[in-house]
């Protein structure tokens, strides 16, 4: 993710030495750190409340726009080794397993330079982290909670409280990048400073994330066919769906569900996960086909976990003075386009480019560069957030909306005959083109040069 050689050799020493603090070591925060280090910045600090990154999680889709960024940053090869390339997607009725439509995906690598593949979230995050560990100018500060973020002053600042300590210490920096997720304290502080009111919104949806091992599936030929395949399947029903695919070199079969949020209704607003009940999970999908039932029944009783899905309305801005929001802190999304992590990684790539092209450290120039980041990213990310929500609405149609459901199923029928759009926007070629063809480096470089009069 480097600028051209002349840019690197002429980067001002004061620019290189700017102190850049990143809150949060998720996908966005890790990629920010790596992108900035690759640009030549020498004083990067990442603050993370967890004691270590403890890479857990489920499967994740590795779209071409994500792969392009990570390849330029030098970490894609290790991710690609364990990834499974998807050759097709099958959209099926949850109740019958009858196929509504099938879309071939082989064309994606030829068209966009990278296949659409899937992997394990821990391998993705771990590979980016390993890339960061190769960079001596990145410092991780774990077990540290960030509070009292100040975005008003010329230099942003915050308090950092290490676990086990009674008093926080104060941190001041030249640039603050808040990649602290949908519950972002930095976002709240920034919007308070701007006298803007916004709250996280419940979507009314929750998700189970399930990972079955090859060993669990080995005795059933039908299940072995699933884990050995290069296919993603989406089973859809009224207000619910399940998406499933193999990951980790076909050793794990990943299932991710979306269903009405029932278990969180009485939970405190700070709670985003809850220990789930296997009987409750089976009840949610009781009318789905026997193939789905077999898989859900394999889940051990104590390993059912449910996530609350939350978003917030588009923010008026992502930037205040020398502070910028990143990833879920500014554009959390529903999972129906599989672009949440990819969009955070795009944010990081653009930040690397625009900050790497700075030629002075004045607060005015820093803010101007961050505004370029916002201009490149905000409309695109928010468009994809809305597309994901719209796709979810289409997939979850039921008998309570019979006319819309008939129209959707007619579109699926037309697709089988090779015509018309795909109601599942993730598999629609026009939507894929909009998402996968985007080149962060080119867009950010052109926008920066135009804003700073270099065009």
């Amino acid at each position: 993710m480097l600028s051209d050689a002349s840019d690197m050799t002429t980067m001002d020493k004061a620019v290189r030495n700017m102190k850049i603090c990143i809150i949060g070591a998720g996908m966005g925060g890790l990629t920010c750190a790596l992108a900035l280090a690759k640009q030549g910045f020498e004083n990067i600090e990442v603050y993370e409340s967890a004691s270590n990154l403890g890479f857990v999680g489920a499967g994740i889709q590795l779209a071409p726009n994500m792969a392009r960024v990570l390849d330029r940053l030098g970490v894609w090869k290790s991710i690609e080794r364990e990834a499974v390339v998807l050759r097709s997607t099958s959209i099926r009725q949850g109740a019958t397993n009858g196929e509504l439509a099938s879309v071939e995906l082989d064309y994606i690598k030829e068209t966009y330079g990278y296949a659409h593949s899937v992997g394990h979230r821990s391998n993705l995050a771990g590979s980016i982290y390993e890339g960061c560990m190769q960079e001596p100018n990145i410092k991780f500060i774990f077990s540290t909670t960030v509070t009292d973020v100040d975005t008003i002053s010329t230099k942003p600042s915050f308090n950092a409280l290490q676990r086990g300590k009674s008093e926080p210490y104060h941190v001041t920096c030249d640039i603050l990048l808040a990649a602290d997720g949908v519950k972002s304290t930095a976002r709240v502080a920034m919007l308070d400073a701007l006298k803007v009111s916004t709250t996280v919104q419940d979507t009314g949806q929750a998700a189970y994330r399930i990972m079955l091992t090859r060993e669990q599936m080995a005795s059933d030929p039908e299940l072995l066919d699933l884990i050995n395949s290069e296919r993603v399947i989406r089973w859809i029903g009224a207000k619910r769906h399940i998406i499933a695919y193999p990951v980790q070199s076909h050793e794990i079969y990943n299932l991710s569900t979306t269903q009405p949020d029932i278990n969180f209704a009485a939970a405190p607003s700070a709670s985003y996960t809850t220990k789930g009940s296997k009987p409750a999970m089976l009840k949610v999908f009781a009318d789905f086909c026997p193939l789905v039932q077999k898989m859900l029944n394999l889940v051990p009783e104590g390993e059912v976990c449910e996530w609350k899905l939350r978003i917030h309305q588009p923010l008026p801005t992502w930037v205040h003075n020398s502070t910028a929001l990143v990833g879920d802190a500014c554009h959390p999304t529903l999972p129906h386009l599989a672009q949440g992590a990819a969009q955070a990684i795009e944010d990081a790539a653009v930040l690397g480019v625009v900050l790497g092209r700075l030629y002075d450290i004045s607060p005015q120039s820093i803010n101007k560069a961050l505004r370029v980041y916002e201009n490149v990213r905000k409309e695109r990310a928010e468009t994809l957030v809305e597309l994901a929500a719209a796709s979810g609405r289409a997939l979850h149609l039921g008998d309570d909306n019979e006319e819309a459901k008939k129209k959707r199923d007619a579109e699926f029928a037309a697709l089988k005959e090779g015509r018309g759009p795909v109601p599942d926007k993730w598999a629609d070629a026009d939507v894929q083109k909009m998402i996968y063809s985007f080149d962060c480096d080119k867009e950010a470089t052109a926008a920066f040069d135009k804003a700073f009069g270099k065009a």
Side-chain angles (χ1 to χ4, degrees):
M1 197 66 61
L2 299 177
S3 302
D4 62 49
S6 62
D7 287 335
M8 287 302 297
T9 57
T10 59
M11 181 188 266
D12 187 87
K13 182 178 179 181
V15 174
R16 290 200 309 271
N17 289 335
M18 282 195 300
K19 183 175 182 178
I20 304 177
C21 290
I22 300 165
I23 308 174
M27 301 298 181
L30 289 172
T31 312
C32 277
L34 185 58
L36 292 166
K38 294 290 187 182
Q39 289 288 348
F41 288 98
E42 297 177 353
N43 191 2
I44 304 161
E45 294 182 351
V46 183
Y47 290 79
E48 170 56 46
S49 60
S51 58
N52 58 68
L53 293 187
F55 298 122
V56 294
I60 190 166
Q61 298 198 36
L62 308 170
N65 55 315
M66 176 198 288
R68 187 177 297 114
V69 171
L70 297 178
D71 200 12
R72 288 171 177 167
L73 291 174
V75 297
W76 174 244
K77 295 301 181 189
S78 62
I79 299 163
E80 187 180 34
R81 275 195 294 271
E82 290 188 10
V84 174
V85 173
L86 296 179
R87 305 291 182 189
S88 65
T89 178
S90 176
I91 304 146
R92 304 181 182 184
Q93 291 279 14
T96 66
N97 200 35
E99 189 169 76
L100 291 164
S102 178
V103 178
E104 296 301 313
L105 301 175
D106 278 337
Y107 85 96
I108 287 178
K109 183 172 184 178
E110 181 180 344
T111 306
Y112 302 111
Y114 298 87
H116 190 107
S117 53
V118 288
H120 197 292
R121 187 175 292 268
S122 65
N123 186 41
L124 173 62
S127 294
I128 302 172
Y129 178 64
E130 284 302 314
C132 289
M133 295 303 291
Q134 302 303 311
E135 300 292 336
N137 296 321
I138 300 174
K139 179 183 178 183
F140 285 91
I141 300 96
F142 291 109
S143 302
T144 301
T145 302
V146 169
T147 61
D148 302 313
V149 174
D150 175 12
T151 66
I152 298 175
S153 303
T154 304
K155 288 178 181 279
S157 65
F158 54 89
N159 286 334
L161 179 63
Q162 287 186 310
R163 193 170 303 154
K165 303 288 186 181
S166 58
E167 294 293 329
Y169 60 94
H170 195 64
V171 179
T172 300
C173 53
D174 295 289
I175 298 171
L176 178 61
L177 303 178
D180 50 342
V182 69
K183 295 186 282 186
S184 171
T185 56
R187 178 186 68 241
V188 172
M190 189 182 94
L191 295 179
D192 282 349
L194 292 168
K195 300 189 182 332
V196 173
S197 177
T198 184
T199 56
V200 175
Q201 291 186 319
D202 288 342
T203 63
Q205 298 178 56
Y208 294 113
R209 290 172 184 162
I210 299 161
M211 305 198 80
L212 300 177
T213 65
R214 173 173 286 277
E215 184 179 6
Q216 286 175 289
M217 303 174 80
S219 62
D220 189 309
E222 215 177 9
L223 299 185
L224 273 179
D225 177 66
L226 293 177
I227 199 169
N228 288 333
S229 74
E230 295 174 319
R231 178 179 65 239
V232 56
I233 301 175
R234 202 189 296 265
W235 287 277
I236 65 174
K239 300 180 182 178
R240 297 155 298 155
H241 79 262
I242 298 173
I243 187 167
Y245 46 81
V247 298
Q248 208 161 323
S249 302
H250 297 273
E251 289 302 311
I252 292 174
Y253 198 65
N254 178 80
L255 298 94
S256 180
T257 77
T258 304
Q259 64 274 346
D261 174 15
I262 297 171
N263 296 321
F264 287 95
S269 61
S271 176
Y272 280 62
T273 62
T274 186
K275 199 72 173 176
S277 156
K278 183 174 179 179
M281 177 184 69
L282 292 172
K283 184 178 179 181
V284 170
F285 295 98
D287 61 338
F288 273 40
C289 62
L291 180 59
V292 168
Q293 299 300 323
K294 279 197 286 190
M295 289 187 286
L296 297 183
N297 273 291
L298 288 175
V299 181
E301 173 64 51
E303 295 183 15
V304 176
C305 198
E306 191 172 13
W307 277 257
K308 187 177 195 61
L309 300 178
R310 289 181 171 179
I311 59 171
H312 52 63
Q313 288 294 328
L315 304 178
T317 183
W318 295 358
V319 172
H320 187 212
N321 295 327
S322 298
T323 298
L325 304 177
V326 179
D328 281 355
C330 48
H331 52 81
T333 184
L334 292 171
H336 310 316
L337 279 183
Q339 277 289 306
Q343 290 306 296
I345 286 168
E346 283 192 7
D347 289 349
V350 171
L351 282 164
V353 171
V354 299
L355 295 177
R357 296 179 76 79
L358 280 170
Y359 47 82
D360 70 68
I361 61 171
S362 69
Q364 294 79 11
S365 290
I366 291 170
N367 179 258
K368 190 173 181 179
L370 294 178
R371 293 289 176 193
V372 173
Y373 154 69
E374 181 180 67
N375 290 339
V376 172
R377 293 291 307 134
K378 191 171 186 291
E379 181 179 357
R380 171 175 166 81
E382 290 171 356
T383 297
L384 297 187
V385 169
E386 175 50 36
L387 266 175
S391 191
R393 289 191 293 269
L395 293 173
H396 295 169
L397 290 170
D399 293 338
D400 58 339
N401 201 339
E402 188 63 30
E403 287 304 312
K405 182 173 180 289
K406 284 180 180 177
K407 182 181 177 183
R408 180 203 68 189
D409 291 349
E411 289 179 345
F412 276 128
L415 180 62
K416 272 194 164 183
E417 298 175 3
R419 53 189 174 83
V422 186
D424 183 352
K425 295 306 176 188
W426 173 84
D428 184 86
D430 290 337
V431 174
Q432 289 172 343
K433 181 178 181 180
M434 179 185 70
I435 298 173
Y436 300 162
S437 63
F438 187 80
D439 190 312
C440 294
D441 276 24
K442 289 181 180 178
E443 297 289 339
T445 299
F448 182 96
D449 289 350
K450 181 178 180 181
F452 281 79
K454 293 185 175 184

